[in-house]
Amino acid sequence: MQSKPFPKSKRPVVAIIGGGVSGAGVAYHLARANCGEAPVILVFEPRAELGRGLAYDTDDLAHRINVPAAKMSLQPDDLGEFQAWIEARDAVAGDSKAKQPDGSLFPRRQLFGEYVASLLKPLLEDGRVRHCHAAVTGVERRAGRWTIRDDRGGVTEADIIAIATSHPPPAAPGQLASRLADHPRFVVDTTKPGALQVIRPHDRVLVIGNGLTAADVIASLAEHGHEGPVTAISRRGLRSRGHAPVPQPLFGDFLADATHSAGSLLARIRAAIDAAKAEGISWHGVIDQVRAQGYDLWQALPVAERRRLVRHLRPYWDVHRFRIAPQVEAVLDAAIATGRLEILAGSVADARIEGEFILCTLQPRQHRQPLERSYDAVIVTTGPAHGGILETQPWLAALAANGHLSLDPTGLGLACTGHSEAIGRSGEADPSLLISGPLARGTFGELMGLPQVTEHAFFVANEIAGKLRVNTTHTHPA
């Protein structure tokens, strides 16, 4: 399906929906790309600044980047740019915990948001990128173009759309949402500003989930003076791992004779970890190599095997791949050592409100006998409900209902091609509708860590630039 030339009298309009790192990255790289005729680049984002999104729009002092600053950048070919930006401004001068003994920097998360916003600022000032301070409420296809409606009453027409929206919020497991909805300290979405302010210093807290979000929550509670007991429960009881004490070299090669089975890939990773250990290299080097080769490994797996991997192995991958910052790890270690933090493998079988308390029936993974516990607060940190993205964004649901979008068969977001073009209900791709960021991970695999997100934003920007160059050639023949 080829793009139709844009009207000769108009500059092409590219609308990016979502102004977090994914959307801001697309805008930044597109504004600097060779597009033929310079497009009008519009970014729909209700937040005050572009580049922050959910992850970096935080003033919580406990929230830190979980990747060393030297490996974070909006530039895929200049990974050290963020650290250089920090050093040029002495930006961690007031943060005594930012620098680790080995010299690596793990600054507060809001600082990365400031860095991305600073890169967008000159593009906004000279008009190459325009920030629409509004949330999108509707998108329709009309007469070969897209019509976008927003919550401020605006109506915008665009030739190309890049969907770069935030993760959908977590979903409370089972019937907890309805059973506990009336309790003042039942927190379902920790990304909402002030969500944890309802927790009192000595509350007994149940945290459902045990990944990065859970670690952030426990660290935030400690930062704000919480001293009560915390139980973190997840199906397998896996806790997010920390970084190696010193950088580890990449180890292993999983692309030579790439496997087409999730099981055999797991066996190869385990064998590589054993071989690395014999050479004095920790598992970090093996997992980092899998991540580096992740796109090609994912492409080699049939859809059925991708589903198996997501269903059975994703939790193990997540806790090894998405490591917690050393400062957060220290908080968790101290809480476990003092008995204030208990980590359980199991599930919440039932819960009900009784007066001020929440009575929970916990079902441990390895025991038939359930545990009856009373808590003052319950916090859900199960991670983004990617499979429910259409329910959380009505305009996305409408696009799907009209045949423009479909869910990825792995349950990781929206279906798209290897060019990041959205796949509709008919199975055909729309070259004027692209997916950027984590919602495209069903096709591209690892798209949650920042390096992969920025690489994908650069990729999507170049895909759009290529379409614009083609249309410039069509409309202005030599």
Side-chain angles (χ1 to χ4, degrees):
M1 186 175 182
Q2 287 197 336
S3 305
K4 294 181 180 179
F6 304 126
K8 291 182 182 180
S9 59
K10 295 181 179 179
R11 288 170 61 195
V13 178
V14 178
I16 301 165
I17 303 177
V21 172
S22 295
V26 173
Y28 175 80
H29 291 297
L30 183 60
R32 292 154 51 92
N34 173 19
C35 301
E37 184 178 8
V40 176
I41 303 172
L42 307 174
V43 184
F44 286 86
E45 172 55 60
R47 289 180 175 83
E49 288 186 304
L50 299 182
R52 293 187 179 274
L54 277 178
Y56 305 105
D57 187 22
T58 174
D59 57 5
D60 193 317
L61 300 182
H63 288 174
R64 293 187 176 272
I65 63 171
N66 65 315
V67 177
K71 294 183 178 181
M72 293 185 70
S73 173
L74 201 62
Q75 318 285 0
D77 58 351
D78 184 7
L79 293 183
E81 185 183 69
F82 177 43
Q83 178 143 339
W85 182 90
I86 292 173
E87 292 170 351
R89 291 159 180 77
D90 199 15
V92 296
D95 182 5
S96 60
K97 296 181 180 179
K99 183 171 286 190
Q100 296 303 295
D102 66 355
S104 60
L105 288 178
F106 288 84
R108 292 175 179 133
R109 204 179 296 163
Q110 65 188 57
L111 199 61
F112 188 79
E114 291 177 21
Y115 152 76
V116 178
S118 74
L119 294 185
L120 269 293
K121 185 178 180 181
L123 304 178
L124 292 165
E125 289 175 344
D126 66 20
R128 282 183 285 172
V129 175
R130 303 179 190 177
H131 182 184
C132 300
H133 295 265
V136 168
T137 57
V139 180
E140 294 179 276
R141 189 75 167 156
R142 291 183 178 179
R145 299 186 90 200
W146 295 101
T147 298
I148 302 168
R149 299 182 185 278
D150 63 57
D151 63 355
R152 295 195 172 185
V155 180
T156 305
E157 287 196 345
D159 300 288
I160 293 177
I161 288 179
I163 297 174
T165 52
S166 301
H167 305 301
Q175 298 180 328
L176 288 189
S178 58
R179 287 179 177 270
L180 303 183
D182 294 333
H183 197 280
R185 286 178 295 282
F186 176 52
V187 181
V188 178
D189 187 358
T190 61
T191 64
K192 291 183 178 179
L196 298 180
Q197 290 178 4
V198 297
I199 310 300
R200 300 167 300 189
H202 298 286
D203 279 345
R204 298 162 297 169
V205 177
L206 175 65
V207 176
I208 303 175
N210 204 21
L212 285 181
T213 304
D216 277 346
V217 164
I218 295 167
S220 292
L221 290 176
E223 178 76 26
H224 292 91
H226 180 258
E227 298 176 346
V230 177
T231 301
I233 189 169
S234 62
R235 187 171 298 177
R236 296 170 179 82
L238 300 172
R239 172 189 158 188
S240 289
R241 305 295 186 89
H243 293 265
V246 295
Q248 300 291 299
L250 297 180
F251 187 92
D253 182 8
F254 304 94
L255 291 182
D257 190 25
T259 180
H260 302 290
S261 157
S264 60
L265 176 59
L266 175 62
R268 291 179 66 177
I269 292 172
R270 284 175 168 167
I273 289 174
D274 288 340
K277 185 177 180 181
E279 296 188 23
I281 299 172
S282 77
W283 57 264
H284 300 78
V286 176
I287 297 300
D288 288 346
Q289 178 71 306
V290 176
R291 185 198 67 197
Q293 298 180 342
Y295 173 79
D296 293 316
L297 291 172
W298 186 255
Q299 300 309 309
L301 293 174
V303 170
E305 290 302 302
R306 294 182 186 181
R307 285 175 172 166
R308 284 187 65 205
L309 190 152
V310 169
R311 187 166 61 251
H312 299 295
L313 302 180
R314 178 182 166 191
Y316 298 94
W317 169 255
D318 284 353
V319 298
H320 289 85
R321 162 65 183 92
F322 301 110
R323 297 158 203 164
I324 53 178
Q327 302 94 325
V328 175
E329 185 179 23
V331 171
L332 268 62
D333 286 346
I336 291 172
T338 59
R340 197 172 66 80
L341 173 60
E342 175 189 25
I343 294 177
L344 287 179
S347 59
V348 182
D350 194 15
R352 68 182 188 276
I353 298 173
E354 189 165 300
E356 291 187 4
F357 307 123
I358 299 174
L359 301 184
C360 295
T361 302
L362 309 181
Q363 183 59 60
R365 185 177 175 88
Q366 301 297 337
H367 304 282
R368 290 186 177 181
Q369 188 66 31
L371 301 174
E372 301 293 336
R373 297 278 184 88
S374 177
Y375 294 98
D376 302 294
V378 172
I379 304 173
V380 179
T381 66
T382 50
H386 284 119
I389 183 63
L390 298 181
E391 286 72 36
T392 59
Q393 296 276 13
W395 61 272
L396 286 177
L399 280 174
N402 291 327
H404 300 294
L405 293 176
S406 59
L407 291 175
D408 183 85
T410 60
L412 292 178
L414 300 174
C416 62
T417 68
H419 293 283
S420 232
E421 297 173 346
I423 298 174
R425 187 170 51 207
S426 67
E428 292 189 6
D430 188 330
S432 68
L433 185 62
L434 291 90
I435 314 296
S436 176
L439 291 181
R441 64 192 296 220
T443 295
F444 291 90
E446 178 55 70
L447 263 182
M448 293 289 281
L450 186 99
Q452 286 70 42
V453 168
T454 54
E455 287 171 7
H456 192 243
F458 180 74
F459 170 80
V460 171
N462 282 331
E463 288 289 313
I464 295 173
K467 297 174 188 294
L468 296 175
R469 287 195 299 271
V470 167
N471 277 283
T472 298
T473 301
H474 285 169
T475 56
H476 301 286

